[in-house]
Amino acid sequence: MARNKISIIMYLIISLAAVGLVSQIFTNTKSFLTNILVMLGFGIAMFAVIYFIFLKKKAPSNDMKKYKKAVKQSKAKYKHNTPVKSTHTKKQVLNPSKRKPNKRASHLKVIDGNKSKEKDRASF
């Protein structure tokens, strides 16, 4: 019940504001446009002050420089080359003896856990 009263009051306020806006446009257009421009200018000035004082990018910290350098090195190390499409329509068969061995990532290590082998639910 209270929610209906609040929504009715809000619709009444919005409709009165719309009526006042339309009447201001038709009766006193010059002062209406002046007020709108002044409000826009004030808003832009406030945004600029807040942006340049509080939100301006600060010089990157030493940790951020180190992080960006590490990311660049990691991308260079683990860069994946995209295969070039060949013009041949036949598939090339690789000789099994000349296959490259699968490389394991050197920075990953398998750690054996302490779970007992009896509770392996994957195999029935």
Side-chain angles (χ1 to χ4, degrees):
M1 186 72 178
R3 185 172 257 177
N4 283 341
K5 288 180 182 179
I6 292 174
S7 63
I8 290 172
I9 291 171
M10 290 302 293
Y11 285 131
L12 182 65
I13 290 172
I14 291 171
S15 62
L16 286 174
V19 168
L21 186 68
V22 170
S23 67
Q24 184 75 16
I25 288 173
F26 287 122
T27 59
N28 201 357
T29 307
K30 184 179 178 181
S31 70
F32 173 75
L33 292 176
T34 306
N35 286 338
I36 294 293
L37 291 175
V38 167
M39 283 189 272
L40 283 174
F42 184 72
I44 290 171
M46 290 300 295
F47 175 76
V49 167
I50 291 171
Y51 177 77
F52 286 117
I53 291 177
F54 298 111
L55 302 176
K56 188 176 182 181
K57 282 189 175 182
K58 299 185 184 344
S61 66
N62 195 19
D63 293 335
M64 186 57 75
K65 287 180 185 177
K66 289 178 183 177
Y67 172 73
K68 288 183 179 181
K69 184 178 179 182
V71 168
K72 190 181 289 186
Q73 287 177 348
S74 177
K75 284 183 180 179
K77 183 176 182 181
Y78 299 109
K79 184 174 156 183
H80 297 290
N81 293 331
T82 57
V84 179
K85 292 183 180 179
S86 64
T87 57
H88 301 292
T89 57
K90 296 179 183 178
K91 291 183 180 179
Q92 295 179 352
V93 178
L94 293 176
N95 191 355
S97 63
K98 291 185 179 180
R99 285 187 182 172
K100 293 182 182 178
N102 292 337
K103 290 185 179 180
R104 293 183 70 188
S106 61
H107 66 284
L108 300 176
K109 182 178 179 182
V110 176
I111 301 173
D112 293 329
N114 294 329
K115 287 188 173 183
S116 65
K117 302 293 180 182
E118 298 170 2
K119 294 185 178 181
D120 188 14
R121 296 176 190 228
S123 61
F124 287 103

